[in-house]
Amino acid sequence: MWTPTSWQSMPQEQQADYPDKQQLNKTIEELSLLPPLVSASEVLELRELTAKAAIGDVFLLQGGDCAESFIDCNQASINRKLQLITQMSLLMMYGLGQPVVRIGRMAGQYAKPRSAHTETIDGTSLPSYRGDLINEVLFCPIKREPDPERLLKGYSLASLTLNYIRTNNKEQIDRFCEPERWQSDAMASLRQKPEYEKTIEAVRHSFSMLKALSPGLSKSLDSFYTCHEALHLHYEQALTRKVGNKWFNLSTHMPWVGMRTAKPDSAHIEYLRGIENPIAIKVGPRMTQKWLSNIIERLNPENSAGRITLITRLGSDKVAKLLPPLIECIKDRNYAVTWVCDPMHGNTRVTKKGIKTRHLTDIVSEVRQSLEIHKSHESVLGGIHLELTGENVTECIGGVCSVSENDLNRAYRTLVDPRLNASQATELALEMVKIFKQINLKSDQLSQNKLNF
Ligand code: PEP
Ligand code: CO
């Protein structure tokens, strides 16, 4: 029988090793009495929207830091991220002709899976950094020790972030029509490209017209959801609450599971199977059809639409080979899933100097190929999942802001994976507008030819 703690008897991967278990248990008890961060009705609303994304009625835009940091829980940083995601969503609505649902990797994306338990620098080994919810990134023995107090701090900062998002979101939408208030440095470089300038102006013009026709428009567009990796199971358990006769994870709207913790008999799959939230599964190159079917059946035995989102992160060099069989497997078994493309995690490269980066060209290429593959298999790409920040960082290479390999050191601030900066992320949204239009045009022409025939 499932309970919020039944995961505890299953094999657990990627969990922090707390030196003081008693203090951990005390903290979890304390957390489980604190108010939830989101509501069950919002969670169900997102589940409905996810079901709509599966059939192409809406498009999901998931984005935010790889690892949120406690120090970035401040007004300026949240504002910039929110503004960026809002801008991108409005540009994409124009290109796609669909509502875009914003889901931030925000307000709780504080725990990270790591490939090694320890990190060694100059002969000294310390526990790996596992996200601000667990320990500190600073390479120092005391700071790297998992500390339960950080769970309470993470909960509080997630709550402050969410509160600020809720109060500030509508304003971000209104700002879209005020060119001078756009992130000027990010937009300055984009404006050098006439085709982008033309699209931005066209979108702003359409949006202003819609707002004039429907004064309540910004309000109706202002919902914002959150997602994070449901990795720290004690934390997730503490924020799991019963509403009516069902259990919900009320720390976030859409938790996801990464492949490192997604074995069918794992503690993570056991935990996720009992909550009502829409669940996302990261799907990387190692995923087999058998493995995927097994976890889908465990998490969604009733095959309910909106429950399962598959976030593919295959890499621009592998997607053409690996995505088609996955799509066929899902179609053959008639599984109700929503497909989302994460063009970031399969495209990480390490430079000669040992810096982790990603190239915008690879990212755009994986999006384009994924969309084409879905189209040609009569499947629907229902969303995109990105690592981005509103800050002017130099972590990914390329784009009109021309970040080169030599620029990486200039503003490389991510705690884990490289993020698109505001200019690169907006450029990606504009490229997606172009790609979607081209591909839709092509498929319209094909169906037109069929009709003529
Ligand atoms: C992530 O989304 O930050 C992540 C770790 O992804 P993945 O598990 O897909 O590598
Ligand atoms: Co990442």
Side-chain angles (χ1 to χ4, degrees):
M1 199 191 68
W2 185 91
T3 68
T5 57
S6 56
W7 63 269
Q8 292 186 8
S9 60
M10 312 291 278
Q12 296 157 31
E13 302 278 348
Q14 298 283 341
Q15 299 304 284
D17 193 9
Y18 287 91
D20 186 344
K21 304 277 184 302
Q22 246 181 349
Q23 198 200 348
L24 172 67
N25 290 335
K26 227 176 98 239
T27 310
I28 298 306
E29 256 170 55
E30 194 176 333
L31 261 180
S32 64
L33 298 174
L34 290 169
L37 301 180
V38 303
S39 73
S41 61
E42 288 168 355
V43 167
L44 292 176
E45 203 173 86
L46 182 59
R47 191 163 156 165
E48 290 280 306
L49 288 168
T50 307
K52 285 190 177 172
I55 51 172
D57 283 355
V58 302
F59 193 79
L60 310 180
L61 168 61
Q62 290 186 288
D65 295 290
C66 178
E68 267 186 296
S69 73
F70 288 179
I71 50 165
D72 277 342
C73 178
N74 60 66
Q75 180 176 358
S77 169
I78 300 170
N79 246 338
R80 279 194 282 264
K81 215 179 304 168
L82 209 52
Q83 191 176 2
L84 174 63
I85 295 174
T86 304
Q87 264 172 211
M88 292 172 74
S89 69
L90 293 171
L91 292 175
M92 286 161 61
M93 273 189 225
Y94 174 82
L96 274 60
Q98 289 166 4
V100 172
V101 178
R102 288 176 292 270
I103 311 173
R105 285 176 65 117
M106 289 174 84
Q109 174 48 21
Y110 289 131
K112 298 304 300 171
R114 301 315 306 262
S115 41
H117 284 295
T118 55
E119 183 181 352
T120 304
I121 298 181
D122 296 334
T124 306
S125 293
L126 293 178
S128 296
Y129 168 66
R130 290 188 172 274
D132 276 8
L133 195 63
I134 291 119
N135 56 4
E136 269 188 62
V137 74
L138 198 73
F139 194 78
C140 152
I142 285 284
K143 305 278 183 198
R144 283 293 174 93
E145 199 157 272
D147 175 5
E149 276 298 309
R150 302 186 73 84
L151 295 166
L152 291 168
K153 180 141 189 205
Y155 162 86
S156 304
L157 296 182
S159 160
L160 295 177
T161 305
L162 202 53
N163 182 57
Y164 190 54
I165 292 173
R166 292 190 199 281
T167 56
N168 194 29
N169 198 24
K170 179 178 165 298
E171 199 174 314
Q172 295 298 343
I173 294 169
D174 286 332
R175 279 184 181 188
F176 184 75
C177 293
E178 300 168 23
E180 66 289 354
R181 294 178 78 175
W182 271 45
Q183 286 166 349
S184 48
D185 48 347
M187 291 309 129
S189 51
L190 292 174
R191 285 186 171 275
Q192 290 161 16
K193 219 172 155 175
E195 62 173 296
Y196 289 161
E197 168 100 38
K198 238 169 72 189
T199 307
I200 293 170
E201 279 318 313
V203 179
R204 190 176 284 136
H205 181 74
S206 315
F207 193 66
S208 304
M209 195 176 84
L210 280 174
K211 273 186 53 153
L213 290 170
S214 168
L217 186 72
S218 303
K219 183 84 202 102
S220 70
L221 283 175
D222 86 343
S223 45
F224 193 99
Y225 301 92
T226 61
C227 62
H228 69 238
E229 179 164 357
L231 186 68
H232 193 302
L233 290 178
H234 280 107
Y235 180 83
E236 305 301 337
Q237 170 201 311
L239 272 300
T240 302
R241 308 295 165 84
K242 202 167 192 177
V243 179
N245 58 359
K246 299 208 156 125
W247 291 94
F248 289 81
N249 180 320
L250 297 182
S251 72
T252 190
H253 300 105
M254 181 190 264
W256 82 78
V257 61
M259 280 183 55
R260 283 172 268 206
T261 50
K263 290 204 187 96
D265 289 317
S266 67
H268 288 79
I269 297 296
E270 169 61 17
Y271 167 73
L272 290 167
R273 116 186 137 80
I275 54 171
E276 292 298 310
N277 303 56
I279 308 285
I281 304 170
K282 287 285 199 108
V283 177
R286 287 185 304 111
M287 182 61 83
T288 62
Q289 298 188 4
K290 191 167 159 219
W291 180 4
L292 187 58
S293 313
N294 200 328
I295 47 183
I296 290 176
E297 290 195 7
R298 273 170 209 241
L299 293 176
N300 194 19
E302 285 161 17
N303 204 22
S304 143
R307 163 71 166 167
I308 301 287
T309 295
L310 299 180
I311 306 178
T312 55
R313 27 91 75 233
L314 299 164
S316 64
D317 54 341
K318 299 192 187 73
V319 63
K321 184 160 170 267
L322 300 180
L323 184 56
L326 290 169
I327 295 176
E328 287 309 323
C329 160
I330 296 297
K331 285 178 82 171
D332 286 349
R333 292 167 206 235
N334 256 322
Y335 292 143
V337 305
T338 303
W339 291 97
V340 167
C341 169
D342 164 0
M344 312 295 297
H345 286 87
N347 292 314
T348 313
R349 305 186 195 183
V350 181
T351 67
K352 281 188 222 86
K353 287 189 188 142
I355 306 172
K356 258 208 266 182
T357 190
R358 291 160 174 160
H359 291 249
L360 188 58
T361 45
D362 292 339
I363 293 167
V364 172
S365 164
E366 185 162 350
V367 175
R368 176 185 283 279
Q369 293 181 68
S370 301
L371 188 65
E372 279 171 344
I373 293 167
H374 279 288
K375 274 270 174 208
S376 65
H377 286 76
E378 292 179 348
S379 167
V380 173
L381 179 64
I384 180 112
H385 185 112
L386 303 170
E387 285 185 342
L388 50 79
T389 172
E391 312 301 312
N392 205 0
V393 300
T394 55
E395 297 169 5
C396 291
I397 291 175
V400 284
C401 61
S402 35
V403 178
S404 70
E405 194 168 320
N406 289 334
D407 294 315
L408 292 179
N409 270 330
R410 186 151 47 80
Y412 195 96
R413 295 204 285 265
T414 183
L415 293 176
V416 183
D417 288 336
R419 305 159 294 177
L420 296 167
N421 63 27
S423 170
Q424 291 167 327
T426 310
E427 183 171 349
L428 176 61
L430 288 161
E431 281 298 311
M432 282 175 56
V433 168
K434 215 161 82 184
I435 295 171
F436 276 77
K437 285 195 157 175
Q438 283 166 353
I439 293 179
N440 285 334
L441 193 69
K442 221 164 39 186
S443 73
D444 282 353
Q445 279 164 351
L446 280 177
S447 52
Q448 196 63 39
N449 287 346
K450 268 190 216 153
L451 283 179
N452 290 343
F453 182 72

